[in-house]
Amino acid sequence: MRWERLVEILQKNSPHDYEKYLSLLYNFEESEYIRKIKALKFVLNRIIKLRLYADGKMPKRDESRCGQRKNNREYLSMLLKYDVISFDLFDTLVIRNVMYYADIYHLVGIKLGLYGFANTRIKAEKEAIQRKADCGLGEAVDLFDIYSIIQEWCDIDLDMGVSTEIAVEMALCNINPYWSGIIRQLVDLGKNVIIVSDSPLHSKEIRQLLNKTGFEWKGLIFVSCECGMTKRSRILYDHIKKLLGDQKKYVHVGANNISDVQAPKKCRWDSIYYEDVHEIGRPYRRIGKSIIVESIAGGIIDTSLHNGVQELSRLEEFGFNYFGRLYVGYCQWLNSLAKTENIDKFLFVARDGYLIRKIYRERFGNIPAEYVYVSRYALSQIVAVENMEFYIRQNLLPKAMQGNATIEEVFTQLQIEELISGLELVGIKHNSLLCRKNLHAIRLFLYKNRNRIAKIFEVQCRAAEKYFEQYLDDCNKICVVDVGWHGSCIMGIIDFIKKHMGWGGEVIGAQVGLECDDLNIGFNAADQIHVYAFSPTYNVELYKQHDFGFINVIDEIAFSAPEPSLLQYNLSDQGDIELIFNEEPKENMDIVRGIHCGVMKYVEKFYRISDELGLELPIPAQVAYEPIVKVVKKREYINKLLHGYKVQRNCDTREDSWKDVTHV
């Protein structure tokens, strides 16, 4: 493969690594030969390590089981043999919710209003180290040394620069549960546990950071900027031995092969290598154009799934890993849509809108957001006059495609059995199978009898009128929120409240994705439905990747509600609204609850970081949805994970119509 092609692969799949490649290739402080060799080695290493040739690499099992670590309990007995147990700070005791540490500097730059700041920050640190070395003061620098140089170059306030970087670090850091529990036990057993770090943060700031993560630190902290020496140079390790006792047994735990593994060994310390969580997770992430947001979105997953402690069930992990980003991004997008379209109220449709509405209200809540019970089957009953084609598409077309039920059985199931007697008059045998061959004749029959169908469902219509009236007061423009795919529920609601009820306001729809068919072409062209992720005319590449068969089913499971679906609207004997629901298998609701639990854990982590940074961090559709498209192709994994979930599509209410998701 040509060199240019290798570089192109790196640039397309990992912009961070491409940036590093350029810095090596154009480091004019070294000879042309040396820098080209270093750049070549780096490119080859990254492509092999990240396995970038495997486009869309996804694990064939729970991602947390990939690159599994040793049970941390095994380290307890091992570490008890030592007198002094040392831990590195970043990437070991503390893990950051960004995939690349340099992204911290990008975020600092955004906060300071200095774009392209990451490169400035890196160069300033190198310059600070060089100036110290030139004065014979070693190479350990703190944030004030670094930002003093940035102040010279960019004319920023020194204290503001330092405090901003510390604040960003605190927003992005979690305590690592893999080591925190072990450390507490070691301390309780009287062991001398210390922190040794080359960080430019002072020990006071490190204690504040640890306290903020919920981990109170009372032990010693040896940090290079205070000691005037570094781990990498090995001097810091020797200094600690002289201070704490040369005859004691020492061990250091860290994530850097040079400064945390090789350097202490040369000082007669033992060492334990803890692989960076992002190194394990990186092969399953793809950083595109939204570098910072993608780094945080993926970093949250890395720190949760690859720290070595299993904190999520399998269903929770699925929701956390693949649908958390989509829920966050969709709610952010809905909030923007509310502003641009001047929406007075959102109507989140059951069951797909169950968790979306909950997240939206908790996060934004700037406009009313109601959860309304609808289903395609219930809507088809109340819009038969206004849209008979909708009725036929929802109720008869799927059964005609299956061809395994008689016309009489279908009519009885649809509660229109009083029409059966009229079939013979138009030459249709009621006991023949409903199939594609006779569907056209049935269609003509139903069009002629649509007023009779409306009469059959008159009570349902009146109940639906009362039900929707309560959501239309004081509104000029409402938005009906669904997940996908044809926009049937949105069109059904619009037909009912606009055509049947005569409501004078404006109604638009919002969905994650839109699949095109002859019913919704005009609807889409009139811009009545807005999409977050893809449609035939928006994010077309993502639209092409989406499988409108199996992926639709998985999305509907992940966006479902732990409750039955609506069968129809009704009125009680007292004239009150009565909602009648289908039966729903308990296994379905348990699976949905598990997925939702994982989604909520992701959402909470993301918004905590966003709030502490004081940034919105909108997640683009490509970032949110592409991982779902890819993981659903791992059919064996999905089948094992969701086995037991019963799918009932095509408005069939027969007990034997349920299918296990593995057979869809």
Side-chain angles (χ1 to χ4, degrees):
M1 184 176 288
R2 294 182 59 187
W3 171 251
E4 290 82 2
R5 176 59 181 151
L6 293 175
V7 174
E8 183 182 331
I9 291 171
L10 192 73
Q11 182 179 15
K12 180 180 178 181
N13 290 276
S14 187
H16 285 87
D17 290 327
Y18 179 69
E19 184 180 340
K20 175 68 174 175
Y21 155 75
L22 291 178
S23 69
L24 291 170
L25 184 63
Y26 297 109
N27 180 13
F28 294 110
E29 295 177 1
E30 296 183 321
S31 69
E32 181 179 0
Y33 176 77
I34 294 296
R35 50 193 172 86
K36 284 186 175 180
I37 290 295
K38 284 186 175 180
L40 172 62
K41 286 176 66 177
F42 177 78
V43 170
L44 292 174
N45 174 272
R46 294 317 297 170
I47 286 180
I48 292 169
K49 186 147 189 172
L50 301 181
R51 287 164 270 185
L52 296 177
Y53 294 115
D55 182 38
K57 180 175 178 61
M58 279 285 156
K60 297 180 181 179
R61 53 184 178 172
D62 303 320
E63 190 184 313
S64 61
R65 295 170 61 198
C66 302
Q68 276 188 301
R69 302 181 189 275
K70 183 187 296 186
N71 188 316
N72 61 347
R73 297 290 304 171
E74 295 180 32
Y75 282 115
L76 182 59
S77 58
M78 184 190 305
L79 294 172
L80 283 171
K81 299 174 185 177
Y82 297 93
D83 301 305
V84 179
I85 302 142
S86 165
F87 284 88
D88 182 29
L89 181 65
F90 291 114
D91 304 324
T92 305
L93 180 54
V94 163
I95 43 182
R96 296 170 169 130
N97 289 301
V98 282
M99 291 172 60
Y100 299 86
Y101 80 90
D103 292 335
I104 293 167
Y105 307 148
H106 285 298
L107 287 163
V108 174
I110 292 170
K111 301 281 286 180
L112 294 174
L114 296 171
Y115 300 102
F117 177 76
N119 192 41
T120 302
R121 168 63 175 77
I122 292 168
K123 289 183 182 300
E125 184 166 357
K126 289 180 179 178
E127 177 65 17
I129 291 170
Q130 186 62 52
R131 290 186 186 183
K132 281 241 175 173
D134 290 344
C135 297
L137 300 174
E139 56 181 31
V141 296
D142 65 10
L143 287 179
F144 284 94
D145 296 324
I146 296 166
Y147 277 89
S148 293
I149 291 168
I150 296 173
Q151 185 181 44
E152 292 177 20
W153 295 349
C154 303
D155 194 28
I156 67 164
D157 182 80
L158 176 61
D159 292 331
M160 181 181 291
V162 171
S163 61
T164 301
E165 180 161 331
I166 292 171
V168 170
E169 283 279 19
M170 289 190 174
L172 293 170
C173 286
N174 296 336
I175 197 68
N176 188 346
Y178 189 80
W179 293 117
S180 59
I182 296 296
I183 290 172
R184 287 189 177 101
Q185 291 181 67
L186 290 169
V187 171
D188 289 343
L189 291 169
K191 287 295 177 180
N192 187 4
V193 184
I194 64 175
I195 291 174
V196 180
S197 175
D198 276 345
S199 168
L201 297 178
H202 287 264
S203 56
K204 178 183 176 181
E205 294 153 353
I206 291 173
R207 290 184 196 278
Q208 290 173 346
L209 187 152
L210 290 171
N211 286 339
K212 187 260 174 189
T213 67
F215 189 79
E216 186 178 1
W217 184 265
K218 295 181 180 179
L220 295 172
I221 298 175
F222 295 91
V223 60
S224 57
C225 65
E226 291 180 344
C227 298
M229 52 196 80
T230 66
K231 292 187 299 180
R232 180 178 288 267
S233 67
R234 308 192 319 238
I235 303 173
L236 184 54
Y237 292 111
D238 284 332
H239 171 73
I240 294 169
K241 284 189 76 172
K242 289 177 183 177
L243 197 65
L244 300 183
D246 191 57
Q247 301 305 312
K248 293 180 179 179
K249 290 185 67 177
Y250 292 81
V251 64
H252 179 72
V253 182
N256 187 288
N257 189 48
I258 296 174
S259 59
D260 293 320
V261 178
Q262 296 178 25
K265 283 183 177 179
K266 291 177 180 177
C267 299
R268 291 180 291 119
W269 289 44
D270 287 338
S271 61
I272 294 173
Y273 177 62
Y274 176 82
E275 187 176 5
D276 180 13
V277 294
H278 303 300
E279 284 296 314
I280 300 173
R282 197 166 286 141
Y284 309 110
R285 315 279 171 259
R286 189 180 77 81
I287 298 289
K289 294 179 180 179
S290 304
I291 292 176
I292 304 304
V293 173
E294 291 183 62
S295 181
I296 293 173
I300 292 170
I301 294 170
D302 290 345
T303 57
S304 298
L305 300 190
H306 298 299
N307 61 60
V309 176
Q310 194 73 21
E311 297 179 304
L312 303 170
S313 71
R314 297 190 68 209
L315 288 169
E316 287 174 346
E317 181 176 326
F318 183 69
F320 185 93
N321 195 352
Y322 299 108
F323 283 90
R325 283 166 287 187
L326 182 56
Y327 271 94
V328 170
Y330 192 30
C331 287
Q332 291 172 328
W333 176 81
L334 286 172
N335 191 51
S336 297
L337 184 69
K339 297 172 184 175
T340 57
E341 293 293 323
N342 297 314
I343 295 166
D344 297 318
K345 182 180 289 185
F346 279 120
L347 299 184
F348 291 82
V349 302
R351 294 181 295 172
D352 291 1
Y354 177 83
L355 190 58
I356 308 170
R357 183 242 191 178
K358 180 178 186 295
I359 294 169
Y360 182 84
R361 287 186 71 176
E362 288 179 0
R363 178 62 188 176
F364 301 106
N366 48 330
I367 65 169
E370 304 289 353
Y371 182 65
V372 295
Y373 284 100
V374 299
S375 69
R376 291 188 295 271
Y377 182 68
L379 286 170
S380 71
Q381 294 177 338
I382 61 176
V383 294
V385 172
E386 290 76 23
N387 195 341
M388 175 52 67
E389 194 60 34
F390 176 69
Y391 183 87
I392 294 167
R393 286 294 188 93
Q394 293 304 317
N395 300 324
L396 282 93
L397 179 61
K399 295 175 175 60
M401 298 291 284
Q402 293 172 346
N404 58 5
T406 67
I407 297 170
E408 183 177 7
E409 288 172 336
V410 172
F411 275 35
T412 301
Q413 185 187 345
L414 296 177
Q415 304 174 52
I416 56 172
E417 59 270 21
E418 69 179 65
L419 301 182
I420 294 173
S421 59
L423 289 170
E424 301 290 342
L425 299 176
V426 292
I428 301 172
K429 295 182 178 180
H430 65 86
N431 59 354
S432 59
L433 291 176
L434 176 63
C435 60
R436 283 176 286 187
K437 186 179 291 187
N438 58 22
L439 180 61
H440 181 63
I442 299 294
R443 174 183 274 109
L444 295 177
F445 175 79
L446 292 176
Y447 265 105
K448 288 179 181 178
N449 287 275
R450 59 180 182 165
N451 287 324
R452 287 186 65 188
I453 294 173
K455 186 70 175 174
I456 292 170
F457 296 116
E458 183 179 6
V459 172
Q460 285 78 8
C461 279
R462 285 193 284 113
E465 288 168 8
K466 290 187 71 173
Y467 183 73
F468 281 102
E469 275 175 1
Q470 62 187 322
Y471 298 115
L472 302 178
D473 290 342
D474 303 321
C475 291
N476 294 314
K477 188 172 187 178
I478 62 172
C479 179
V480 181
V481 181
D482 201 353
V483 172
W485 302 101
H486 295 281
S488 304
C489 282
I490 294 172
M491 287 189 288
I493 290 173
I494 290 175
D495 282 340
F496 187 72
I497 64 176
K498 294 284 290 179
K499 297 177 183 177
H500 179 86
M501 294 177 61
W503 185 63
E506 186 180 352
V507 188
I508 61 172
Q511 291 189 168
V512 171
L514 178 70
E515 181 180 3
C516 187
D517 67 6
D518 56 351
L519 273 183
N520 65 19
I521 287 176
F523 188 58
N524 186 32
D527 204 27
Q528 275 190 280
I529 189 163
H530 299 259
V531 293
Y532 166 59
F534 55 83
S535 75
T537 56
Y538 172 68
N539 276 351
V540 178
E541 285 304 312
L542 197 56
Y543 178 82
K544 291 176 181 177
Q545 292 176 45
H546 180 88
D547 169 13
F548 285 98
F550 191 57
I551 295 183
N552 281 12
V553 175
I554 303 306
D555 283 346
E556 286 165 15
I557 293 172
F559 279 94
S560 189
E563 61 185 22
S565 63
L566 179 70
L567 181 62
Q568 62 185 33
Y569 305 98
N570 205 0
L571 290 175
S572 67
D573 294 339
Q574 292 74 35
D576 297 324
I577 301 166
E578 187 176 72
L579 302 178
I580 301 173
F581 294 91
N582 277 317
E583 294 294 322
E584 185 77 12
K586 179 181 179 299
E587 294 84 354
N588 286 13
M589 292 189 279
D590 290 342
I591 287 172
V592 168
R593 287 190 191 99
I595 294 171
H596 283 191
C597 185
V599 168
M600 287 305 299
K601 287 179 179 179
Y602 185 93
V603 170
E604 288 161 7
K605 283 177 179 283
F606 187 91
Y607 281 136
R608 179 192 64 77
I609 293 168
S610 174
D611 289 343
E612 291 186 16
L613 288 173
L615 300 171
E616 274 301 312
L617 304 173
I619 299 180
Q622 194 83 15
V623 176
Y625 202 77
E626 193 173 56
I628 297 170
V629 172
K630 291 177 178 177
V631 77
V632 171
K633 293 177 182 177
K634 306 299 180 183
R635 189 64 184 260
E636 184 178 350
Y637 163 58
I638 298 296
N639 285 349
K640 287 181 180 178
L641 180 75
L642 301 179
H643 175 68
Y645 190 96
K646 299 296 187 294
V647 177
Q648 188 185 52
R649 309 189 88 193
N650 304 330
C651 303
D652 200 334
T653 58
R654 294 176 300 176
E655 190 173 333
D656 62 356
S657 66
W658 294 91
K659 282 185 179 180
D660 192 277
V661 70
T662 58
H663 298 134
V664 173

